[in-house]
Amino acid sequence: MELTLTFNTDEIYDVIIIGAGPAGSSAAIYTARAGLSTLVLYRAEADGALGVTQQIENYPGIRGPISGYELLKLIRDHAKAFGAKFVRGKVIATDLLGDIKKVYTIDGREFKSRALIIASGAMERTNKFRGEEEFLGKGVSYCGVCDAAFFKGKPVAVIGEDDYALEETEFISRFASKIYLVVPSSRIKAPPEMVEEIKSHPNVEILTHHRILEIVGTSFVEGLEVQNIETKEKKRLEVDGVFIFLGGNKPSVDFLMNQVEMTDGNCIVVNEEMMTSVPGVFAAGDVLCTNIKQAVIAAADGVKAALAVDKYLNKKSKITAQW
């Protein structure tokens, strides 16, 4: 679970795809096969709703049962075979209004492209924990790479339940003296080998099925109060920091900074060719707030967006099909 922080960012790609779920990865198959230089930026290996789905049996051509993570790997490997590049990097900002689109990741890298597909899904949180906003920047963090060094030799808590949380926990463990990994659900939604690896860390204690009650402190974080959902037992974890890596069902679009038209519910508005209000910027998948959330529908959105990117970049009069 090494974090890759170095990558050549000087190249101007034909298309950058934000998100490597079924929409983004399917789009990458089509853009790469069309000969367009394609970079896919993704938050975590098992990212998004499909990545944390335990069992799939209805994806066309894949009889299953298969885990969502395994299905994602198949789609991504298909895209990589055509030349698409996949790079881990959480996107936090964009500059979309020029001819060259710029994308910025949380570790300070800048990537450039002539077109962009937003396929970042809908996994943002809508509700905050008690004390979360009060102690933001005073012990509460959303980025291990950014802030882990501030907690060298100190105990911290990590709140999360997927592989993104595990990857961040591994990084934070290089600095913190003790980590309480607080998992709200009854199991960690990540590939088994990743779960086993994090369990082997001597300074990581995993607390599954625990509810977050409150982040407490005076000027800075001093503890995290949690409750075992099954036994109702409450306890206070004496920590100096709380890292939060939880998802929800709100569109993940904060990095767009209101540069494209969206509905009141933060759903991206597109035309019949999946283009947003900004020329050269397209969107696909759950960021559109499609009523039916199925991997095959998100994949189809991604394909439509990819074909539209090909039309846009090559100045074609109409979308042309691939076989």
Side-chain angles (χ1 to χ4, degrees):
M1 295 191 292
E2 289 294 318
L3 288 170
T4 303
L5 300 180
T6 57
F7 193 81
N8 180 11
T9 60
D10 295 331
E11 181 177 353
I12 298 177
Y13 292 89
D14 289 322
V15 58
I16 289 175
I17 300 169
I18 301 175
S25 296
S26 297
I29 292 173
Y30 277 70
T31 56
R33 189 166 181 265
L36 303 175
S37 57
T38 300
L39 173 68
V40 183
L41 295 172
Y42 65 97
R43 190 189 68 153
E45 290 296 333
D47 204 9
L50 179 62
V52 298
T53 301
Q54 193 167 10
Q55 188 167 295
I56 302 289
E57 290 187 329
N58 59 357
Y59 194 87
I62 309 292
R63 291 188 63 183
I66 185 174
S67 72
Y69 175 63
E70 291 172 316
L71 178 57
L72 270 185
K73 284 184 65 177
L74 290 174
I75 302 173
R76 291 173 185 170
D77 287 345
H78 195 165
K80 291 174 184 177
F82 285 124
K85 295 179 181 178
F86 284 70
V87 172
R88 182 169 180 249
K90 183 179 179 181
V91 176
I92 59 166
T94 52
D95 181 357
L96 307 178
L97 301 183
D99 290 337
I100 300 301
K101 316 303 178 186
K102 299 176 182 178
V103 178
Y104 304 93
T105 56
I106 200 167
D107 47 44
R109 291 174 292 172
E110 176 189 80
F111 299 91
K112 307 181 189 73
S113 64
R114 297 193 293 137
L116 181 76
I117 298 176
I118 304 158
S120 45
M123 294 286 284
E124 291 299 312
R125 295 167 58 225
T126 54
N127 299 316
K128 303 285 187 182
F129 299 123
R130 288 179 61 188
E132 181 176 342
E133 292 186 338
E134 178 185 352
F135 292 107
L136 183 60
K138 301 175 182 178
V140 170
S141 173
Y142 306 118
C143 177
V145 174
C146 311
D147 297 330
F150 294 119
F151 298 92
K152 187 173 180 64
K154 298 178 180 180
V156 302
V158 172
I159 305 171
E161 56 189 9
D162 59 13
D163 75 314
Y164 178 49
L166 296 192
E167 289 170 351
E168 292 283 357
T169 298
E170 193 280 331
F171 185 83
I172 296 166
S173 71
R174 305 175 195 179
F175 301 90
S177 60
K178 168 83 174 183
I179 297 178
Y180 297 96
L181 176 56
V182 183
V183 182
S185 58
S186 58
R187 68 176 184 88
I188 300 175
K189 302 170 185 176
E193 62 272 17
M194 296 182 70
V195 176
E196 290 305 313
E197 184 175 345
I198 208 68
K199 284 181 177 179
S200 69
H201 276 272
N203 62 336
V204 176
E205 180 179 342
I206 301 175
L207 303 174
T208 55
H209 225 202
H210 276 68
R211 178 184 294 114
I212 310 304
L213 299 178
E214 186 177 4
I215 300 168
V216 297
T218 50
S219 299
F220 296 91
V221 169
E222 296 174 2
L224 177 67
E225 294 183 354
V226 299
Q227 180 181 36
N228 187 307
I229 294 173
E230 294 177 353
T231 66
K232 308 302 180 184
E233 177 190 359
K234 297 179 181 179
K235 70 169 86 173
R236 171 169 164 156
L237 308 176
E238 302 295 336
V239 295
D240 294 322
V242 177
F243 290 84
I244 303 172
F245 306 111
L246 277 179
N249 53 20
K250 175 185 173 185
S252 305
V253 293
D254 287 350
F255 57 84
L256 296 176
M257 302 179 297
N258 298 313
Q259 294 174 88
V260 304
E261 182 184 354
M262 291 185 284
T263 69
D264 291 340
N266 287 324
C267 306
I268 299 177
V269 176
V270 295
N271 64 15
E272 66 277 3
E273 293 186 353
M274 316 304 283
M275 189 184 287
T276 70
S277 57
V278 177
V281 179
F282 302 77
D286 286 352
V287 290
L288 307 181
C289 300
T290 306
N291 288 333
I292 305 173
K293 295 186 181 297
Q294 291 287 292
V296 67
I297 292 175
D301 281 349
V303 171
K304 288 164 65 178
L307 293 174
V309 165
D310 180 43
K311 173 192 171 185
Y312 171 81
L313 291 178
N314 290 307
K315 297 178 170 57
K316 296 180 179 180
S317 61
K318 63 180 182 179
I319 287 177
T320 54
Q322 284 186 23
W323 308 100

